[in-house]
Amino acid sequence: MANTKFEKLFAEFPAVPTEAWEEVITADLKGADYERKLVWRTGEGFNVRPYYRAENLEGIKFLGSQAGEFPYVRGTRPHNRWKVHQTVTVADPAAANAEALDILNKGVDSLGFCIAKEELTAADLDTLLAGISIPAISMSFCGSKMADVVELMLAKLEKDGVAKEEASIAFSIDPLVKGLSQKGDFCSPNGETCFARIAELINKTAEWKNIRLVTVNAAIFSNAGSTIVEELAFALAAGNDYLARLTDAGVNIDVAARKIRFSFAVTANYFMEIAKFRAARMLWANIVKGYNPEKNCACKMQIHAETSRWNQTVYDPYVNMLRGTTEAMSATIGGVQSLEVVPFDASFGTPTEFSKRIARNVELLLKHESHFDQVVDPAGGSYYIENLTQSIAAEAWKLFLEIEAKGGYTEAYKAGFIVERVNASATAKDKNIATRRQILLGANQYPNFTEVAPEEIAATSVTRVAAEGNVLTPYRGAMAFEEMRLHVDRSGKQPKAFMLTCGNLAMARARAQFSCNFFACAGIRVQDNTFFKSVEEGVQAALESKAEIVVVCASDDDYATVAPQVKELLGGKAILVVAGAPACAPELEAQGITNFINVKSNVLETLKFYLKEMGI
């Protein structure tokens, strides 16, 4: 009976062919170019359509598999219970232990230990892990001398009688990505010493199925400015390089593959990131399958994710909480095994207890209130996500093959190919941020007008470190704007921009709002005004405000007469700026009015110019 009702209901809504949709869209565009108006040209190397239908799934080969089935697009497990991860810095083992025990009681079930001591002893490790039940949680270790930490940890596991199947531990040994990206080369010729040690440790831990020794730190690419496709392709290439070296050293592929873990960044590109994790599992499964493992379970990719550091901002830092939340949603919907939400204040200082609590609670809220852990691959079947997965996989595979043609990850890196690609992507992102094609709230758009950086914000927090040699240097996309604004905050001056609104009220208000946002991005104080009935009244108020910049805000039709009048009345006592790109601009320039701001402006360079004009 119920089915009959539904059949009758849907009968009232007959299927509409794509051609009919396209006809309506074309008519609504009124002659505008379809491709330019509606097709998104991504920085990842492919286009995204304005809508997708069932027919767009034709030819996608990975459809139909379930979670836990090769090639694992929908996940490596029949559930979506990820681990809530948080990292503790280990300078003092006792203090680190106290912090670890505290956060374990607050919802964390995956501990990260970043070793900051020059040398960790067996006694230090006992102190660090005192009171922690190793079988009850997952752990990871990063920092210096990781191979030695592995040996210490194995000795402790044996001493404490921990069963081999009960230890879930990952170590961040990564000479290929982390090592090369920081130094440009290996410590020994072609890394022979490093890989011999890794092979030795793998043989020692062969029976410990949940101990991962190698972590491919793909987040390094993302935080240096790479695209999502580049991050994925470079990670896969590095992972394949590890497999090739280890199997050449005699390590069984089933063992070697299970000793590798991947750590990705997850950016604010919400749907793309969901698709990235799905594509990553599929591509890695096929790479491992090429080595002919005995069991398909060796083809499962273990993924840890960390919310992006690249798009965090120093100004208006609480926005970072929102960024971390949407990024965490992408990662968990994408099916990662563990996730760390970076505290909102990590970009400018040591995270506080408050910021670390909020970071944890983002994940706990997604689990306990939003129930994200109750559904496996909720994006599966979406025409849009399935097509994004296919597109990202295709582009990443193309780049992966290009790296392989160059001799693999190591040779491609040494030749400068990896750094060159990442730097080119970073430069493109920097340009997009400077011109507001990419928005970073609080930095290049919608800044907090009254915010002044507190004294504890160091200049180094907003200054991009110049890369030297063939290395990858992490930075944040907002740094150029932040460095400029901090310079203004610390200059001892309070430059002001005055909005002279006149003419057409609607256009005057719209342009005043645009201009206020524009100048406030540099820390320039803005004085907005509702409306002036005459130019004379506006100029008088502007002069009384003692503003260094006067922005005339009116309609394009008004500018031909209004702007010259303002210029004459100002008498050179302030910098005159016209908000917009009026058709009369050439005539105004001929009269000495040369400053214009509009949506096509390079906001960063324009603001630097005005600061220089004001002697800041």
Side-chain angles (χ1 to χ4, degrees), residues 87 219 222-223 265-267 306-313 320 327 340-343 346-347 351 474-477:
T87 298
S222 180
N223 289 323
V266 52
T267 69
E306 178 185 277
T307 57
S308 177
R309 295 173 184 268
W310 185 89
N311 63 6
Q312 282 204 338
T313 56
N320 294 331
E327 291 162 359
E340 178 159 19
V341 174
V342 176
S347 58
Y475 77 105
R476 291 179 298 101

Side-chain angles (χ1 to χ4, degrees), residues 529-596:
N529 299 282
T530 302
F531 189 70
F532 293 103
K533 294 180 181 178
S534 68
V535 171
E536 290 81 2
E537 179 189 1
V539 172
Q540 182 181 350
L543 291 173
E544 289 174 355
S545 75
K546 301 188 184 304
E548 292 91 338
I549 297 172
V550 174
V551 187
V552 58
C553 304
S555 70
D556 287 0
D557 293 337
D558 292 328
Y559 282 137
T561 55
V562 167
Q565 192 178 355
V566 173
K567 180 179 184 296
E568 182 180 353
L569 292 173
L570 278 177
K573 294 178 182 177
I575 299 169
L576 175 61
V577 178
V578 174
C584 63
E587 289 80 4
L588 295 179
E589 289 175 345
Q591 298 176 64
I593 300 171
T594 58
N595 298 315
F596 299 84

Side-chain angles (χ1 to χ4, degrees), residues 13-329:
F13 299 94
V16 179
T18 301
E19 292 74 14
W21 282 105
E22 291 294 308
E23 287 175 8
V24 174
I25 292 171
T26 302
D28 287 345
L29 285 172
K30 298 177 181 178
D33 186 275
Y34 185 103
E35 293 288 321
R36 293 190 63 182
K37 284 287 184 180
L38 299 181
V39 176
W40 174 24
R41 292 165 176 79
T42 71
E44 318 306 315
F46 58 88
N47 292 342
V48 174
R49 290 176 48 78
Y51 69 97
Y52 290 89
R53 310 195 74 200
E55 63 202 56
N56 297 117
L57 298 181
E58 294 175 6
I60 298 180
K61 297 179 180 179
F62 57 77
L63 296 177
S65 64
Q66 298 300 312
E69 293 179 1
F70 187 91
Y72 310 111
V73 177
R74 306 204 65 189
T76 59
R77 308 157 296 172
H79 61 80
N80 190 29
R81 294 189 291 273
W82 76 92
K83 298 285 187 179
V84 178
H85 188 87
Q86 198 152 39
T87 298
V88 175
T89 300
V90 183
D92 175 358
N97 171 258
E99 182 179 353
L101 290 172
D102 179 56
I103 63 178
L104 284 173
N105 289 323
K106 294 176 178 177
V108 168
D109 52 9
S110 178
L111 283 174
F113 292 111
C114 185
I115 309 301
K117 285 196 70 174
E118 188 171 333
E119 185 173 354
L120 193 75
T121 66
D124 288 335
L125 189 60
D126 285 337
T127 301
L128 178 62
L129 300 180
I132 296 174
S133 174
I134 294 174
I137 63 167
S138 292
M139 287 191 292
S140 70
F141 290 86
C142 66
S144 58
K145 299 182 179 179
M146 272 297 98
D148 293 341
V149 176
V150 175
E151 299 277 13
L152 288 174
M153 194 67 211
L154 285 175
K156 179 171 178 57
L157 293 173
E158 295 283 0
K159 181 182 70 174
D160 292 354
V162 177
K164 288 183 170 61
E165 66 275 7
E166 290 184 335
S168 179
I169 307 171
F171 297 91
S172 187
I173 298 176
D174 189 16
L176 279 179
V177 178
K178 196 172 182 180
L180 283 177
S181 71
Q182 292 178 337
K183 302 171 185 175
D185 206 342
F186 296 114
C187 298
S188 60
N190 202 33
E192 291 175 3
T193 303
C194 304
F195 289 99
R197 186 78 189 276
I198 292 172
E200 177 189 345
L201 292 173
I202 286 177
N203 289 329
K204 287 185 177 182
T205 60
E207 295 182 8
W208 299 79
K209 294 184 178 180
N210 295 315
I211 287 183
R212 305 263 174 169
L213 296 172
V214 172
T215 296
V216 178
N217 287 282
I220 287 172
F221 306 119
S222 180
N223 289 323
S226 79
T227 66
I228 285 173
V229 162
E230 287 167 347
E231 179 194 22
L232 177 52
F234 297 154
L236 293 171
N240 185 53
D241 205 331
Y242 278 119
L243 290 181
R245 287 172 178 267
L246 292 171
T247 52
D248 285 347
V251 179
N252 180 278
I253 181 59
D254 288 83
V255 175
R258 289 197 188 98
K259 296 302 176 185
I260 298 175
R261 167 181 179 255
F262 290 80
S263 179
F264 289 97
V266 52
T267 69
N269 203 333
Y270 187 76
F271 294 109
M272 285 271 204
E273 289 290 354
I274 295 171
K276 177 185 78 177
F277 293 120
R278 301 174 87 245
R281 286 191 293 268
M282 176 179 66
L283 295 178
W284 180 245
N286 281 286
I287 287 171
V288 177
K289 190 70 172 176
Y291 286 84
N292 298 315
E294 290 184 11
K295 298 179 180 179
N296 275 349
C297 59
C299 303
K300 294 180 178 181
M301 183 185 231
Q302 187 178 81
I303 301 176
H304 171 71
E306 178 185 277
T307 57
S308 177
R309 295 173 184 268
W310 185 89
N311 63 6
Q312 282 204 338
T313 56
V314 165
Y315 283 91
D316 214 353
Y318 293 115
V319 177
N320 294 331
M321 293 184 189
L322 307 180
R323 295 186 176 106
T325 300
T326 62
E327 291 162 359
M329 290 170 66

Side-chain angles (χ1 to χ4, degrees), residues 490-508:
R490 302 279 164 85
S491 68
K493 300 179 181 180
Q494 289 189 333
K496 182 189 291 185
F498 182 93
M499 304 299 125
L500 200 162
T501 48
C502 58
N504 180 285
L505 176 61
M507 287 302 300

Side-chain angles (χ1 to χ4, degrees), residues 434 481 484 518 601-611:
F481 276 89
M484 172 178 64
F518 193 103
S601 297
N602 184 311
V603 182
L604 180 65
E605 294 305 320
T606 302
L607 289 173
K608 285 182 177 180
F609 167 77
Y610 290 128
L611 291 176

